Amino acid sequence: MGSRETPAERRRKGPRFGANFMSVLEVSRELVCLCGEGLVIDINSAGIAMLGAENGEQVVGRAFRNLVGGDYAGVIDDLLHLKEIEDSAFPIKIVHLDGGTFEAELQIHPARELGPAYAVVTARDISRQGHLARTARHSEDRFQALVERSMHLVLLCHGGRIGYINATGVKVLGGNDPSQFVGIPVSEIFAGEYREIVASDLPALLDEGGVVPMRLARLDGSAFDAQIKATPLPSRGAAPEYMVEARDITGQIRAVAALRHMNDTLEQQVVARTHELAEERFRAVEARAFVESLLEAVPNPLWWKDIDGRYLGYNGAFRELHQISATDWVGRTTAEMVNAEFAAISAKADVKALADTGRIQFEAHLEVAPEKALDVVVNKTVWRARDKRPEGVIGVMLDITERKRMEAELRRLATTDVLTGIFNRRHFMEMARNEVDRARRHGRPMVALMLDIDHFKRINDTYGHPVGDVAIKALADVCTEIVRHEDVLGRLGGEEFAIVLTETDLDGALLVAERLRLAVAAIRIPAEQGIVAFTTSIGVAERLETDTTIDSMLSRADMALYSAKRSGRNKVAVG
């Protein structure tokens, strides 16, 4: 027996259409038509006039894809057959019955309640905007010529899809013609986990602003490293428009790998030569000069110590890192010169190296100045005298601070919501499932809350979407202040939030919900039209013994949320 569809799920699926909706939309000044299996079934009077028809019979029965010009016909057919769902409006050309065209902004809404492959199509005439754009065609042509001759991949995207790709981009992605990419989701050109990040949270990439290291995928399935920069553009419709630039850095990465290999080779040479110097006790002036030159040529910080851990010397990169002279640290130990945490790890590595356990490697946090710390990888090995006895330890260091920062940033993008800074939907669901499993194993209480902003559409319509975003952020801030660190808070989408209260029974949860309700009602947001105040409705659901997943709890909490709204809003209801 299938699970019932929750109100939240019905809301997220978009508008619903009754049998008489075409009569209602007859007053619309935009083209509105009903399509089934891609064919026009009904069309309003404004649509008949926009297509240059005398009556509806001239349009009904036609394939809607034949009314679309340009490269979008195939994509339109997939959307009309509900093979793909595009939430945002996008620009296309509509073909008059007499063969002429006009520019329009198109949006397709699934209407499965009317039929299995039914869709409602709306189109807004944007020819005037197109005329204004053509007056700047000369400048655009010059810009396009520059883009086409760019050494790097350049994309122009509308919503989640590619609208333009330059010749370099086609070549870099292993294609033969721009038509292989125009119209496809922009996430398809990314490889591995990056594709999922872009597909699930494209605004996060747009908000980055700077250059981000990622991996792209060619048509043959192979992947390559690239630096990506996404730049938002002024949008002509509801869907965001943006430019994506990508630079293939495979060659640079190979060069870095070659440099690291050279460093390893130099390190081996240094070790070998250091053995010889230990045997000769630095008696040959020529040998000493050679080794000093060799050590100075190594680009990474390098040092050597005696068996008691005292510095015997170090190269120029080491001196530059610590801002010291050639003799400042000679005869001193690591514990005397750097932070205690790094010194302790380094001392253990020295012991292992002297015990002849081979090359020792470790990562650590090194403080090189009062307000400057680095993440580093250190390699150490023993050097020996003529009789093979250990004489000391040689170390080489690599700065990995930037790599650590990029790894942390990628983890942040994958788990947090850009607007509010709290967990995004995917990470919230993962954390909530873990809490349900833990509560079931140990028989502990747990409560789920669903809440959203009452009359949120009214706020957006009255004060604008920027004020709506401020309201969403304010609600998230209130939730963050009230819930505990061990609780799980996430934004499920739009103005809808969910909270999992761990180790909390129903009475405790109702107290928290009431505090949230009162705190939200006290929020005041200044706007040009005046002070904005709003309330929240909250649904509460306690974990039952029959609950095996978080989904069942959230479903009951969502139904309770709608019960609170039906009873007047600004209330807490239990499901």
Side-chain angles (χ1 to χ4, degrees):
M1 185 174 181
S3 61
R4 294 178 59 192
E5 183 178 63
T6 69
E9 291 170 335
R10 289 197 300 271
R11 186 171 70 256
R12 287 192 291 270
K13 288 182 179 179
R16 294 292 182 268
F17 303 95
N20 65 338
F21 81 97
M22 285 301 298
S23 300
V24 176
L25 294 176
E26 188 62 26
V27 298
S28 174
R29 299 173 64 182
E30 299 179 358
L31 181 153
V32 181
C33 69
L34 173 65
C35 295
E37 298 292 341
L39 301 178
V40 178
I41 296 175
D42 199 359
I43 185 169
N44 67 346
S45 298
I48 294 172
M50 289 171 70
L51 293 174
E54 296 180 359
N55 52 58
E57 285 75 15
Q58 292 181 281
V59 181
V60 171
R62 289 176 175 264
F64 192 87
R65 65 173 291 167
N66 294 334
L67 301 175
V68 177
D71 298 326
Y72 272 92
V75 176
I76 292 295
D77 217 24
D78 286 344
L79 293 172
L80 287 173
H81 285 79
L82 307 185
K83 295 179 181 178
E84 294 188 27
I85 302 298
E86 175 61 59
D87 296 330
S88 305
F90 50 93
I92 62 168
K93 287 190 176 181
I94 299 292
V95 181
H96 284 286
L97 295 187
D98 63 2
T101 63
F102 68 96
E103 297 175 5
E105 189 176 72
L106 192 76
Q107 188 162 12
I108 297 176
H109 308 275
R112 294 186 178 89
E113 60 270 27
L114 301 180
Y118 274 46
V120 172
V121 181
T122 62
R124 182 171 65 90
D125 190 340
I126 58 172
S127 301
R128 183 173 181 275
Q129 294 93 316
H131 174 73
L132 294 175
R134 283 190 293 274
T135 62
R137 184 62 55 86
H138 177 68
S139 296
E140 290 183 1
D141 288 345
R142 293 180 63 191
F143 172 75
Q144 184 169 359
L146 291 173
V147 171
E148 280 295 323
R149 291 171 173 80
S150 172
M151 297 172 61
H152 309 306
L153 177 150
V154 178
L155 302 176
L156 294 180
C157 302
H158 185 93
R161 297 181 178 275
I162 296 173
Y164 164 81
I165 181 171
N166 68 344
T168 302
V170 173
K171 182 178 179 181
V172 166
L173 295 177
N176 298 315
D177 188 86
S179 62
Q180 294 173 279
F181 304 94
V182 172
I184 70 171
V186 67
S187 60
E188 292 297 318
I189 71 169
F190 290 86
E193 62 181 349
Y194 299 101
R195 179 175 298 178
E196 183 180 356
I197 291 174
V198 174
S200 64
D201 203 356
L202 178 61
L205 179 62
L206 295 177
D207 290 343
E208 276 302 303
V211 176
V212 180
M214 305 185 85
R215 288 181 67 79
L216 299 183
R218 300 185 181 91
L219 289 181
D220 63 4
S222 61
F224 62 95
D225 296 286
Q227 288 181 331
I228 306 295
K229 182 177 182 181
T231 305
L233 301 174
S235 300
R236 291 169 291 181
E241 296 183 359
Y242 49 94
M243 180 174 71
V244 176
E245 302 169 82
R247 181 167 68 95
D248 187 346
I249 58 173
T250 306
Q252 291 91 319
I253 291 177
R254 289 175 179 168
V256 171
L259 178 60
R260 288 176 179 169
H261 176 72
M262 181 188 72
N263 287 346
D264 289 342
T265 302
L266 287 172
E267 183 182 25
Q268 293 170 6
Q269 294 175 2
V270 169
V271 171
R273 189 55 183 163
T274 302
H275 276 295
E276 295 177 9
L277 292 175
E279 294 172 355
E280 298 173 2
R281 301 293 182 183
F282 301 96
R283 289 176 297 192
V285 175
E286 295 82 0
R288 184 184 184 92
F290 170 78
V291 171
E292 289 177 351
S293 299
L294 181 61
L295 296 179
E296 290 297 313
V298 176
N300 293 333
L302 181 149
W303 65 96
W304 58 100
K305 299 187 289 185
D306 64 18
I307 198 169
D308 296 321
R310 296 184 180 88
Y311 286 98
L312 297 175
Y314 32 80
N315 69 349
F318 188 95
R319 296 195 300 273
E320 181 178 356
L321 175 68
H322 293 286
Q323 295 296 297
I324 58 175
S325 72
T327 59
D328 284 351
W329 285 20
V330 172
R332 312 292 290 272
T333 65
T334 303
E336 297 175 81
M337 311 311 297
V338 300
N339 55 297
E341 178 187 1
F342 181 90
I345 298 173
S346 180
K348 291 180 180 179
D350 287 349
V351 172
K352 290 183 179 180
L354 291 170
D356 196 22
T357 57
R359 178 182 296 181
I360 305 301
Q361 183 179 88
F362 65 88
E363 289 188 19
H365 201 62
L366 175 63
E367 296 176 6
V368 296
E371 296 184 2
K372 181 180 180 182
L374 304 176
D375 291 304
V376 296
V377 172
V378 177
N379 284 282
K380 291 190 173 184
T381 188
V382 66
W383 58 276
R384 300 178 182 278
R386 181 176 300 178
D387 58 1
K388 304 300 182 183
R389 288 185 300 105
E391 286 285 338
V393 173
I394 295 175
V396 179
M397 181 186 299
L398 177 66
D399 183 358
I400 60 170
T401 305
E402 185 61 18
R403 189 188 78 186
K404 288 285 189 181
R405 186 198 67 77
M406 289 190 294
E407 290 174 353
E409 183 63 11
L410 284 176
R411 285 193 296 270
R412 183 189 68 78
L413 289 175
T415 60
T416 60
D417 174 61
V418 174
L419 175 63
T420 63
I422 64 177
F423 291 151
N424 59 23
R425 179 186 183 88
R426 181 179 60 181
H427 194 60
F428 169 82
M429 295 301 290
E430 179 181 346
M431 297 291 289
R433 292 187 188 102
N434 293 339
E435 291 299 334
V436 170
D437 291 342
R438 187 186 64 79
R440 291 185 63 214
R441 285 197 307 272
H442 301 289
R444 304 303 300 166
M446 173 178 155
V447 178
L449 276 61
M450 292 283 289
L451 60 157
D452 66 4
I453 298 175
D454 294 331
H455 299 298
F456 181 69
K457 185 176 184 300
R458 184 182 302 169
I459 295 176
N460 278 339
D461 292 345
T462 304
Y463 302 97
H465 289 277
V467 175
D469 286 347
V470 173
I472 291 173
K473 181 66 167 60
L475 175 57
D477 291 342
V478 165
C479 293
T480 301
E481 292 174 2
I482 292 178
V483 302
R484 303 165 302 177
H485 177 73
E486 56 267 29
D487 298 328
V488 184
L489 167 65
R491 181 186 178 194
L492 301 188
E495 78 280 16
E496 190 174 59
F497 294 75
I499 304 172
V500 168
L501 301 176
T502 62
E503 299 292 337
T504 305
D505 58 16
L506 183 58
D507 290 340
L510 290 174
L511 292 175
V512 174
E514 185 62 19
R515 287 178 61 199
L516 285 170
R517 186 187 69 80
L518 293 174
V520 171
I523 294 173
R524 297 293 182 269
I525 300 173
E528 291 183 0
Q529 299 91 331
I531 299 299
V532 181
F534 57 90
T535 60
T536 182
S537 298
I538 306 175
V540 181
E542 186 178 26
R543 186 184 72 82
L544 306 177
E545 291 300 323
T546 55
D547 289 329
T548 59
T549 67
I550 188 60
D551 301 88
S552 56
M553 293 182 64
L554 292 179
S555 177
R556 294 199 306 277
D558 193 64
M559 288 188 287
L561 168 63
Y562 274 85
S563 175
K565 287 186 177 294
R566 286 194 298 271
S567 63
R569 293 183 171 83
N570 192 22
K571 294 184 179 180
V572 176
V574 179

Tab-separated table of all heavy atoms in Angstrom, residues 438-446 503 543:
chain	number	residue	atom	x	y	z
A	438	ARG	N	19.899	6.420	16.324
A	438	ARG	CA	20.453	6.417	17.677
A	438	ARG	C	19.342	6.339	18.730
A	438	ARG	O	19.441	5.576	19.704
A	438	ARG	CB	21.286	7.681	17.893
A	438	ARG	CG	22.041	7.710	19.217
A	438	ARG	CD	22.736	9.046	19.426
A	438	ARG	NE	21.776	10.136	19.527
A	438	ARG	CZ	21.082	10.410	20.636
A	438	ARG	NH1	21.267	9.692	21.730
A	438	ARG	NH2	20.231	11.405	20.649
A	439	ALA	N	18.278	7.131	18.523
A	439	ALA	CA	17.172	7.128	19.480
A	439	ALA	C	16.488	5.761	19.538
A	439	ALA	O	16.085	5.300	20.615
A	439	ALA	CB	16.159	8.215	19.106
A	440	ARG	N	16.349	5.083	18.402
A	440	ARG	CA	15.723	3.749	18.376
A	440	ARG	C	16.592	2.720	19.093
A	440	ARG	O	16.093	1.887	19.848
A	440	ARG	CB	15.498	3.313	16.934
A	440	ARG	CG	14.428	4.101	16.189
A	440	ARG	CD	14.185	3.522	14.816
A	440	ARG	NE	13.661	2.159	14.915
A	440	ARG	CZ	13.930	1.180	14.061
A	440	ARG	NH1	14.737	1.395	13.051
A	440	ARG	NH2	13.397	-0.014	14.217
A	441	ARG	N	17.924	2.796	18.845
A	441	ARG	CA	18.825	1.821	19.478
A	441	ARG	C	18.803	1.931	21.001
A	441	ARG	O	18.818	0.918	21.704
A	441	ARG	CB	20.252	2.026	18.977
A	441	ARG	CG	20.503	1.527	17.587
A	441	ARG	CD	21.996	1.378	17.323
A	441	ARG	NE	22.734	2.599	17.620
A	441	ARG	CZ	22.931	3.574	16.752
A	441	ARG	NH1	22.443	3.474	15.527
A	441	ARG	NH2	23.618	4.658	17.094
A	442	HIS	N	18.756	3.155	21.503
A	442	HIS	CA	18.865	3.362	22.950
A	442	HIS	C	17.526	3.670	23.615
A	442	HIS	O	17.490	3.925	24.832
A	442	HIS	CB	19.845	4.507	23.218
A	442	HIS	CG	21.211	4.255	22.666
A	442	HIS	ND1	22.073	3.318	23.194
A	442	HIS	CD2	21.858	4.809	21.605
A	442	HIS	CE1	23.199	3.318	22.497
A	442	HIS	NE2	23.094	4.210	21.517
A	443	GLY	N	16.442	3.664	22.826
A	443	GLY	CA	15.133	3.924	23.403
A	443	GLY	C	14.990	5.306	23.997
A	443	GLY	O	14.403	5.491	25.062
A	444	ARG	N	15.535	6.319	23.320
A	444	ARG	CA	15.529	7.676	23.843
A	444	ARG	C	14.445	8.522	23.149
A	444	ARG	O	14.095	8.274	21.996
A	444	ARG	CB	16.894	8.342	23.623
A	444	ARG	CG	18.059	7.581	24.219
A	444	ARG	CD	17.876	7.360	25.698
A	444	ARG	NE	17.779	8.635	26.412
A	444	ARG	CZ	17.355	8.768	27.665
A	444	ARG	NH1	16.936	7.695	28.339
A	444	ARG	NH2	17.317	9.946	28.240
A	445	PRO	N	13.912	9.535	23.855
A	445	PRO	CA	12.880	10.393	23.254
A	445	PRO	C	13.474	11.319	22.205
A	445	PRO	O	14.652	11.668	22.252
A	445	PRO	CB	12.341	11.180	24.446
A	445	PRO	CG	13.493	11.240	25.407
A	445	PRO	CD	14.199	9.910	25.267
A	446	MET	N	12.624	11.735	21.280
A	446	MET	CA	13.071	12.620	20.201
A	446	MET	C	11.829	13.246	19.571
A	446	MET	O	10.783	12.594	19.446
A	446	MET	CB	13.867	11.819	19.176
A	446	MET	CG	14.254	12.572	17.939
A	446	MET	SD	15.240	11.505	16.846
A	446	MET	CE	14.884	12.295	15.281
A	503	GLU	N	16.926	13.854	22.730
A	503	GLU	CA	16.779	13.685	24.187
A	503	GLU	C	15.706	14.633	24.737
A	503	GLU	O	15.848	15.208	25.814
A	503	GLU	CB	18.117	13.949	24.883
A	503	GLU	CG	19.237	13.014	24.483
A	503	GLU	CD	18.982	11.582	24.968
A	503	GLU	OE1	18.219	11.413	25.935
A	503	GLU	OE2	19.547	10.636	24.368
A	543	ARG	N	8.635	11.150	18.403
A	543	ARG	CA	9.030	9.850	17.830
A	543	ARG	C	8.204	8.729	18.459
A	543	ARG	O	8.069	8.643	19.681
A	543	ARG	CB	10.508	9.583	18.074
A	543	ARG	CG	10.995	8.302	17.372
A	543	ARG	CD	12.445	8.004	17.702
A	543	ARG	NE	12.614	7.544	19.071
A	543	ARG	CZ	12.415	6.286	19.472
A	543	ARG	NH1	12.035	5.360	18.605
A	543	ARG	NH2	12.599	5.953	20.740
